[in-house]
Amino acid sequence: MMKTVFGVKCVVPNNYLVWEATRPLADCSICSNLSSVIILPNVTREEFTNYAYSYQPIIVKGAALHWLARKSFDYYFFKEMFERIEGAHESVEEECQFLNFKTDFATLREVFEMPPGRVKNSKGYKPWYIGWSNCHPEVLKEMRLHYSKPHFIPLNAEHSHVDFVFMGYQQGAFMHLDYITRLMWQAQLRGHKTWRLNPPPECEMMCKSFSFEVFPGDILLLDTRQWYHDTRIREGEFSITVSSEYG
């Protein structure tokens, strides 16, 4: 991640070891009776009230099926937008965050320069999966024409001013915690993604690990600050999600 200090750019690494060593111990009682994800139909805001700030993972089925982003968002949508909007790439490099996970990409620019065969995960090319946060005002404005905040989230909830996009094939994210300030929602726009959740190490004797699959059009709500998680995409499928925070 790039920061500017007295006008000079320097690289500040995401130091997961430091974060892990200094994180507060979890209250294991909140996960001791959990062994699966809650699956809800496409609920109203009133019906969702009792679940809104739950520690238990929740899938709201079909809540994003009507979003335009399910058809419009793909690799080339974002490639064209980032090439067209002045300062879009710089905003990711200097203000936001690029997550390369297990790939060999150093920047989002490199992602949008890959050959067509790799874009499609053709035979002979390495699979790829990346994510990035969007904080450029014009980028966010254009993105949000294609989706909205989940309709069931409480009206008084605070929302992040940054939205993430995750896309790619197969490997997904490695096992990790998110060092964020609020709960996370993530809309699965394309592809099927399997999530595997592990409790914090201090809770392994009381809490269980489990996994579940999220389908296109579903919205997942998860406290990624407490659950260690990794993801994997169905073989041969392209996955794209949009994600943000609320609390």
Side-chain angles (χ1 to χ4, degrees):
M1 188 174 180
M2 303 295 292
K3 297 291 184 182
T4 302
V5 181
F6 302 116
V8 179
K9 292 181 182 178
C10 57
V11 176
V12 181
N14 291 321
N15 198 329
Y16 286 100
L17 292 178
V18 172
W19 290 340
E20 177 63 20
T22 57
R23 71 171 177 83
L25 293 178
D27 177 4
C28 301
S29 65
I30 61 178
C31 64
S32 60
N33 294 319
L34 302 182
S35 59
S36 63
V37 63
I38 294 176
I39 298 179
L40 299 176
N42 194 357
V43 292
T44 64
R45 182 173 289 117
E46 291 71 26
E47 292 169 334
F48 188 70
T49 300
N50 292 334
Y51 301 96
Y53 303 104
S54 172
Y55 182 76
Q56 186 162 0
I58 299 167
I59 295 174
V60 181
K61 299 294 293 182
L65 282 174
H66 64 289
W67 287 3
L68 179 61
R70 287 202 60 234
K71 295 183 178 179
S72 58
F73 279 12
D74 60 15
Y75 172 90
Y76 291 102
F77 173 93
F78 288 101
K79 175 181 170 68
E80 187 278 330
M81 181 171 63
F82 271 78
E83 290 175 349
R84 171 169 44 84
I85 295 178
E86 184 177 356
H89 278 292
E90 288 79 5
S91 71
V92 175
E93 294 167 1
E94 299 175 6
E95 303 171 63
C96 299
Q97 186 178 21
F98 174 69
L99 303 168
N100 66 346
F101 297 113
K102 302 174 185 177
T103 70
D104 52 355
F105 299 116
T107 66
L108 190 59
R109 292 178 191 270
E110 292 184 8
V111 172
F112 292 139
E113 292 172 353
M114 76 172 90
R118 191 172 185 189
V119 173
K120 297 179 181 179
N121 197 35
S122 299
K123 186 176 180 179
Y125 287 92
K126 293 180 180 179
W128 57 276
Y129 182 87
I130 54 93
W132 74 93
S133 59
N134 296 277
C135 51
H136 190 291
E138 289 185 49
V139 170
L140 282 170
K141 181 179 179 180
E142 187 162 331
M143 284 176 56
R144 289 171 177 172
L145 294 174
H146 298 256
Y147 63 93
S148 60
K149 299 171 185 174
H151 64 273
F152 48 80
I153 289 179
L155 286 173
N156 61 354
E158 294 182 357
H159 293 270
S160 173
H161 296 296
V162 174
D163 292 353
F164 279 81
V165 174
F166 298 92
M167 66 180 181
Y169 298 87
Q170 293 185 14
Q171 51 201 1
F174 50 78
M175 187 65 69
H176 67 288
L177 282 182
D178 291 340
Y179 293 89
I180 57 179
T181 58
R182 303 178 182 90
L183 298 167
M184 179 215 74
W185 63 262
Q186 184 172 122
Q188 187 71 37
L189 303 176
R190 299 190 185 192
H192 299 74
K193 181 185 289 185
T194 294
W195 291 71
R196 183 176 55 157
L197 304 186
N198 288 340
E202 63 270 23
C203 299
E204 288 179 351
M205 298 300 292
M206 294 179 61
C207 303
K208 297 179 180 179
S209 300
F210 56 94
S211 62
F212 52 86
E213 189 173 42
V214 183
F215 285 64
D218 293 349
I219 296 180
L220 170 67
L221 300 107
L222 178 65
D223 191 343
T224 56
R225 305 166 299 178
Q226 300 292 334
W227 287 102
Y228 285 80
H229 54 283
D230 67 10
T231 61
R232 188 162 185 84
I233 316 306
R234 277 194 192 180
E235 187 73 25
E237 287 190 353
F238 174 73
S239 170
I240 186 165
T241 63
V242 63
S243 178
S244 194
E245 302 170 29
Y246 78 98

